[in-house]
Amino acid sequence: MSQPLRNILRHSFMLLSGLLFLSSSITVAQTTTVTGTIIDGPTNKPLPFANIVFPGTTIGTTSDERGVYTLTASGNFTKVVISFIGYKSITKVITPGTSQTVTVKLEPDSQLLNEVVIRSGKRERYRNKNNPAVELIRNVISHKEQNQLGSYAYASYEEYDKLQFSLSSLSTKVADRKIFQKYRFLLNNRDTTTLPGKSLLPVYLEEKLSEHYLRKSPSTDKVIIKGNKRVDFGQYFDSNGLSIYLNRMYSKVDIYANSIFLMTNQFLSPIANSAPMFYQYYLADTLVVGKTKLVGLNFVPRNTTDMLFEGKMYITLDSNFAVQKINLSVNPRINLNWVRELQIHLQFEQHTDGRYFLSRSDLLADFGVNKTKGGGIFGQRTLSYRNYKTDEPQPAPFYSGQPQVVEAAAASQPDEFWRTNRHDSLSVAESKVYTNIDSLKRMPSFRRTMEALTFVLAGYKSFGPFEVGPANTFYSFNPIEGFRLRLGGRTTPELSKRYYAETYAAYGFRDQRWKYFLSGTYSINNKSIYQFPQNYIRASFQRDTKIPGQELQFVQEDNFLLSFKRGVNDRWLYNDTWRIDYVHEFENHFSYSIGFKNWQQAPAGSLEFKRIGDADNAPSPTLTTSEFSVEARWAPNEQFFQGKIYRVPIVGRYPVFTLRYTAGIKGLLNGAYNYQSLTGIASKRFWVSPLGYSMVTLQGGYILGQVPFPLLTIHRANQTYAYQLNSYNLMNFLEFVSDHYASVSIDHSFNGFFFNKIPLFKRLKWREAVSFKALYGGLRSENDPHKNPSLYQFPVDAQGIPYTYTLGNTPYMEASAGIANVLKFFRIDLVKRLNYLDNPNVSSWGIRARATLDF
């Protein structure tokens, strides 16, 4: 399992796991499920978009285009109400805690016949053309720009943001068990009002009060955070990192955006520019609020398994055609992992100039390993807005500087500040969360459990200021070292936030050599070196093995799972590497690093450094280089999966650019060559809702100077059975080298768009993925050992057959087709190598797998 996945899993599950240990079993309130069909009495035809609710609650659904519905919730419900405008409502008695079928016929209400037109006969096929509902939604789409706050030259507002998580369906009997008596203060703090039919145990709460100032030109969104308060789990979680992760899962919902990002997925908005191609719309009813007439509009996906919403919106029948209110949910058959229920409620209020601004947003989601039963997690993010002001500019200097400013007292605001400034009061259960978690984290049994989970999920065992790990590198094997044991660790911020050290020692029983690593880091800004923005200087020495051409991201090379490789794998290097690096990140997500490296390479296994021009053709024992490097990176609006002692970038919708320059100095600390190299990388994720998303990476490089093959670009190869996004998965190690190259990589996930329409795949919740990679490169004559005998010859096998090549006029290409979401965690790809099939020991086909975590 890769380090990013471990870190993500740690964030996703440690909070739940650390509290679920309080109970030996979790039971569920009775689940009531009602299914059936709603029928138009006079015509005996299905009645689409009728309303079905449990009376006295907000739990309900609508019938689909075939009149079929399913309503499920935990609770002892005894009645269900079916209604539709122009028809008489019907209340049916049901049996709580069971699954049952309730099919009803609705009869027209004679008092409303003058408002309703009933058509008999064959039901017409849905069409966009001449459809008044579609014409209405096209008016909404055409007026989107004027209805957004960004249409004003200047605007400002106050925002209150509340995010809370609770354990759901936790048995009330747990608190009565003797073993959990000391936890009763936590277990008895339940909320039974937020989600009717479910008992919630709040475990996390975060509040933020901020002021936003928008400027249209140049585009600016200045945020002043006045107050910020959240639950602190102490040493087991990085509070900032946990907050970023949870806020990303529960992103703010902008209904006027074409796509809405939720739970690692992108949903097409029902008022997106292309929405009429993927949604069906039906006029429902009319309302009058104040002096404004509103039209109710139901919407459903054309295909109920696509990443789309269903629900109802109210649209103003004035010159604005604005959304005044909208309720969004997803069909239970959607290909969305672990989400039992998802609801979004947006409410807009009219401003003094007649426009409608968002006044409240509620996002509710209920998660569970099993979608129908068992314990789970319920999360709710509520945002409320007030004090809207438009066309009231601030002085120009106000908009400069950092886009987000946190006031000095924001994290320490007193209770009186929150009582005065909250837009809505906390529930009784929510108000106790802060003190309850403070008490919980001081309990020895809770600390022991969290330490055990840290080792299992993250691979490190903490001893306060020092931790040992990662566990997946304790043992590995390879053809050079044979059986390899390794033990290492690193200091933590508990020892110092300014000084850090990391080390390991390893021993190979075949080559009988010790390997080791030692680094020391000094944090210049006195912040953790794992937190943004980084500003540190690091010195290190490493003596270890390396496979030429294997470049891994966030994964240790001696990870046990990478011990299993295909084909011949005995061309290695012994490396002695001295490094010193300075890294500086800025708040605008631009960063640069300056480094120096002295690198001594010695061939291992069957790899040799031989010169054709040497009279005795004797191998050279080592190759030493000394080089300076500088790298610039810009990743606008980048976020991280953040822990106390790690961070992993989150792939977002913004591009990432990297430019690296390296210069080798001959004669400096035994450096043997002068050379210069330049490398550029650009990557971006493109969302194409509802067709999924593509990750596109462009890369190029050029080396100036004459260098032997170990200093050329050895293209990233992969001989493991794990699918690596940034490597060529059917290229052998050391197979291709270049001194100039350009490459493109495209990886597209369809998120089940096609599989959802195939019954078997739809049931399995599989998702399709495809990829294509192409690499164009070459070698100038000055770096060709056949034309320059003073250079190392390209490696050959025992029979004298070369196994290292240069690329010709045809680029190296490979493609794959994969099935993702297998068992909800794995992606399996069938990879095809498209050319250069005559090279020795190559595979034209291969199956590769990787672990992923997507909702």
Side-chain angles (χ1 to χ4, degrees):
M1 184 180 294
S2 67
Q3 192 65 29
L5 179 59
R6 287 180 176 273
N7 294 335
I8 296 169
L9 286 172
R10 182 184 185 185
H11 261 320
S12 302
F13 299 127
M14 280 185 65
L15 179 60
L16 172 62
S17 303
L19 292 161
L20 288 182
F21 89 100
L22 297 175
S23 65
S24 58
S25 64
I26 295 179
T27 59
V28 190
Q30 295 187 76
T31 299
T32 304
T33 301
V34 186
T35 61
T37 304
I38 310 302
I39 298 172
D40 181 353
T43 65
N44 285 322
K45 300 293 182 182
L47 191 60
F49 313 117
N51 300 309
I52 305 96
V53 298
F54 291 127
T57 77
T58 59
I59 302 173
T61 187
T62 58
S63 58
D64 63 17
E65 64 275 9
R66 299 177 303 278
V68 177
Y69 73 93
T70 299
L71 179 60
T72 300
S74 296
N76 298 321
F77 304 109
T78 59
K79 295 179 180 180
V80 64
V81 175
I82 300 95
S83 62
F84 191 71
I85 186 170
Y87 291 78
K88 297 177 180 178
S89 298
I90 293 180
T91 300
K92 288 285 187 178
V93 177
I94 58 174
T95 304
T98 63
S99 296
Q100 55 218 281
T101 300
V102 176
T103 296
V104 300
K105 289 185 177 181
L106 292 183
E107 300 295 335
D109 189 333
S110 59
Q111 295 180 355
L112 297 176
L113 284 178
N114 60 335
E115 300 286 341
V116 180
V117 177
I118 301 175
R119 294 184 175 91
S120 60
K122 184 177 180 180
R123 183 182 170 193
E124 294 183 6
R125 179 183 175 186
Y126 181 89
R127 297 178 184 274
N128 282 353
K129 187 176 181 180
N130 298 324
N131 185 333
V134 175
E135 293 302 318
L136 178 60
I137 206 67
R138 291 194 190 281
N139 275 319
V140 175
I141 294 171
S142 65
H143 287 77
K144 283 201 305 181
E145 183 176 353
Q146 75 177 51
N147 286 318
Q148 298 181 70
L149 205 58
S151 64
Y152 292 90
Y154 297 91
S156 64
Y157 59 88
E158 182 181 273
E159 177 189 81
Y160 171 69
D161 186 353
K162 181 179 72 174
L163 176 66
Q164 67 103 335
F165 277 78
S166 303
L167 302 184
S168 62
S169 302
L170 186 67
S171 172
T172 56
K173 298 179 181 179
V174 171
D176 297 329
R177 296 177 183 174
K178 185 176 181 180
I179 191 174
F180 298 124
Q181 288 299 303
K182 55 185 175 182
Y183 299 105
R184 293 190 67 174
F185 72 93
L186 176 71
L187 297 172
N188 286 335
N189 184 40
R190 296 174 182 272
D191 177 3
T192 58
T193 60
T194 299
L195 197 64
K198 286 195 176 184
S199 175
L200 304 177
L201 180 64
V203 294
Y204 182 82
L205 181 63
E206 177 181 337
E207 299 176 273
K208 184 187 296 182
L209 186 75
S210 58
E211 294 176 351
H212 291 245
Y213 297 86
L214 282 69
R215 181 176 60 181
K216 186 175 183 178
S217 181
S219 179
T220 308
D221 183 1
K222 186 84 171 185
V223 182
I224 310 296
I225 298 179
K226 313 289 287 186
N228 193 3
K229 185 178 183 180
R230 56 178 167 242
V231 165
D232 181 9
F233 283 91
Q235 61 180 328
Y236 306 108
F237 297 95
D238 177 80
S239 297
N240 290 329
L242 182 63
S243 174
I244 289 173
Y245 178 72
L246 296 178
N247 278 273
R248 177 175 170 79
M249 283 182 59
Y250 283 67
S251 303
K252 295 181 180 180
V253 176
D254 180 5
I255 195 61
Y256 285 105
N258 285 327
S259 295
I260 297 171
F261 183 88
L262 291 171
M263 319 296 175
T264 73
N265 287 285
Q266 200 88 346
F267 291 79
L268 187 72
S269 168
I271 59 173
N273 295 342
S274 60
M277 294 174 57
F278 300 97
Y279 283 96
Q280 293 180 349
Y281 302 90
Y282 298 88
L283 295 174
D285 52 7
T286 60
L287 294 175
V288 177
V289 177
K291 297 181 179 180
T292 304
K293 188 175 183 180
L294 306 174
V295 175
L297 195 66
N298 291 319
F299 52 91
V300 294
R302 290 177 181 262
N303 187 293
T304 56
T305 57
D306 288 342
M307 287 289 181
L308 301 169
F309 295 108
E310 59 184 24
K312 186 175 185 178
M313 70 179 88
Y314 283 94
I315 300 165
T316 64
L317 283 185
D318 56 14
S319 59
N320 294 315
F321 288 98
V323 176
Q324 190 267 346
K325 178 181 180 181
I326 186 168
N327 294 326
L328 305 164
S329 63
V330 295
N331 192 289
R333 290 174 286 183
I334 197 172
N335 192 345
L336 193 62
N337 293 331
W338 304 300
V339 178
R340 294 172 173 169
E341 185 178 3
L342 176 64
Q343 296 182 27
I344 303 169
H345 308 293
L346 304 180
Q347 182 72 45
F348 297 78
E349 290 185 358
Q350 195 169 24
H351 190 49
T352 53
D353 64 357
R355 304 280 183 87
Y356 282 80
F357 298 157
L358 183 64
S359 60
R360 184 180 176 92
S361 168
D362 274 299
L363 169 58
L364 305 91
D366 191 23
F367 299 90
V369 175
N370 187 303
K371 279 197 173 185
T372 58
K373 59 183 179 180
I377 295 180
F378 170 79
Q380 180 177 6
R381 186 177 189 182
T382 301
L383 298 114
S384 60
Y385 304 86
R386 65 187 184 191
N387 298 336
Y388 278 102
K389 298 177 182 178
T390 57
D391 295 328
E392 296 183 13
Q394 300 293 322
F398 175 83
Y399 298 98
S400 61
Q402 298 302 323
Q404 179 173 287
V405 177
V406 182
E407 292 190 348
S412 57
Q413 294 286 11
D415 291 342
E416 181 59 31
F417 169 87
W418 292 105
R419 282 193 293 269
T420 303
N421 291 281
R422 282 189 186 105
H423 292 193
D424 196 3
S425 60
L426 298 180
S427 67
V428 175
E430 288 174 336
S431 64
K432 298 180 181 179
V433 172
Y434 294 119
T435 56
N436 283 351
I437 299 302
D438 283 342
S439 301
L440 178 68
K441 70 183 182 184
R442 291 193 293 267
M443 301 183 71
S445 57
F446 177 73
R447 293 200 299 266
R448 288 193 298 268
T449 300
M450 297 306 295
E451 288 171 0
L453 286 170
T454 300
F455 182 74
V456 172
L457 296 177
Y460 283 90
K461 169 60 180 172
S462 177
F463 296 94
F466 188 82
E467 62 178 16
V468 175
N472 58 10
T473 65
F474 288 166
Y475 161 68
S476 61
F477 58 88
N478 61 69
I480 304 303
E481 299 174 276
F483 176 69
R484 171 181 166 122
L485 294 180
R486 168 177 150 164
L487 184 64
R490 57 191 179 185
T491 63
T492 71
E494 291 185 43
L495 177 67
S496 171
K497 284 189 176 182
R498 191 171 293 271
Y499 300 96
Y500 295 83
E502 185 173 359
T503 186
Y504 71 77
Y507 184 76
F509 285 81
R510 174 173 293 176
D511 64 358
Q512 298 183 352
R513 291 195 184 191
W514 283 97
K515 293 87 182 175
Y516 48 88
F517 170 77
L518 179 64
S519 75
T521 306
Y522 175 74
S523 175
I524 296 173
N525 60 2
N526 200 26
K527 291 185 177 181
S528 168
I529 61 173
Y530 304 101
Q531 290 185 346
F532 177 84
Q534 295 177 335
N535 188 7
Y536 65 78
I537 186 168
R538 171 180 290 157
S540 65
F541 174 75
Q542 182 180 44
R543 170 169 290 175
D544 210 336
T545 57
K546 178 178 174 60
I547 301 175
Q550 177 173 264
E551 298 291 338
L552 303 172
Q553 281 192 318
F554 313 114
V555 182
Q556 300 283 349
E557 292 194 8
D558 49 1
N559 185 311
F560 171 74
L561 295 178
L562 297 183
S563 299
F564 302 92
K565 293 183 172 68
R566 61 177 177 84
V568 179
N569 177 36
D570 63 350
R571 296 137 193 164
W572 288 51
L573 294 170
Y574 287 114
N575 295 301
D576 282 1
T577 308
W578 295 91
R579 295 186 63 102
I580 184 166
D581 297 280
Y582 172 66
V583 177
H584 192 170
E585 292 180 335
F586 296 89
E587 293 285 351
N588 63 359
H589 295 276
F590 173 81
S591 65
Y592 70 88
S593 61
I594 302 172
F596 171 76
K597 180 173 75 170
N598 180 259
W599 182 18
Q600 183 184 90
Q601 305 180 61
S606 65
L607 183 64
E608 293 181 324
F609 293 168
K610 285 186 177 182
R611 291 183 174 90
I612 299 176
D614 288 348
D616 56 0
N617 202 22
S620 299
T622 60
L623 168 64
T624 301
T625 54
S626 295
E627 61 182 37
F628 292 93
S629 64
V630 59
E631 178 178 296
R633 183 176 184 272
W634 186 42
N637 300 292
E638 185 175 45
Q639 292 182 322
F640 303 92
F641 291 113
Q642 179 71 65
K644 283 186 176 295
I645 45 180
Y646 67 83
R647 73 174 195 180
V648 178
I650 299 172
V651 179
R653 62 187 180 92
Y654 296 96
V656 178
F657 302 98
T658 304
L659 186 65
R660 185 184 306 115
Y661 171 78
T662 302
I665 310 298
K666 184 176 181 179
L668 177 62
L669 299 177
N670 299 318
Y673 291 92
N674 284 318
Y675 57 89
Q676 300 175 72
S677 70
L678 186 66
T679 304
I681 306 171
S683 62
K684 188 181 187 313
R685 176 170 286 185
F686 297 89
W687 272 278
V688 195
S689 300
L691 298 174
Y693 59 87
S694 289
M695 187 68 195
V696 179
T697 302
L698 304 176
Q699 184 170 340
Y702 198 94
I703 297 175
L704 292 169
Q706 187 179 63
V707 292
F709 79 84
L711 301 181
L712 296 172
T713 299
I714 302 174
H715 295 294
R716 290 184 173 182
N718 176 29
Q719 288 185 220
T720 72
Y721 296 97
Y723 187 88
Q724 295 177 12
L725 292 175
N726 296 310
S727 299
Y728 300 97
N729 289 282
L730 290 181
M731 183 185 291
N732 292 333
F733 295 132
L734 255 177
E735 186 177 356
F736 291 103
V737 296
S738 302
D739 61 13
H740 60 279
Y741 72 95
S743 67
V744 60
S745 173
I746 303 172
D747 188 83
H748 185 84
S749 174
F750 287 98
N751 264 350
F753 182 80
F754 298 107
F755 281 0
N756 289 339
K757 299 168 179 63
I758 303 174
L760 177 60
F761 291 170
K762 174 181 173 181
R763 184 177 181 85
L764 293 171
K765 301 294 185 181
W766 285 355
R767 301 170 184 171
E768 58 285 273
V770 295
S771 71
F772 174 76
K773 298 176 182 180
L775 168 67
Y776 174 80
L779 193 68
R780 302 190 309 275
S781 59
E782 65 184 294
N783 288 318
D784 187 345
H786 297 98
K787 300 178 181 179
N788 296 277
S790 62
L791 297 174
Y792 295 152
Q793 70 178 39
F794 285 165
V796 297
D797 62 18
Q799 289 73 40
I801 300 174
Y803 58 77
T804 297
Y805 303 88
T806 60
L807 292 159
N809 294 326
T810 303
Y812 172 90
M813 295 182 292
E814 66 179 39
S816 73
I819 299 175
N821 209 42
V822 177
L823 301 178
K824 298 183 180 181
F825 282 105
F826 300 99
R827 169 176 162 177
I828 302 173
D829 279 75
L830 177 63
V831 188
K832 170 63 175 173
R833 176 168 166 156
L834 301 176
N835 53 5
Y836 292 97
L837 301 178
D838 294 332
N839 290 356
N841 302 314
V842 302
S843 300
S844 59
W845 293 91
I847 296 177
R848 302 291 179 265
R850 64 187 295 258
T852 61
L853 181 65
D854 293 305
F855 283 90

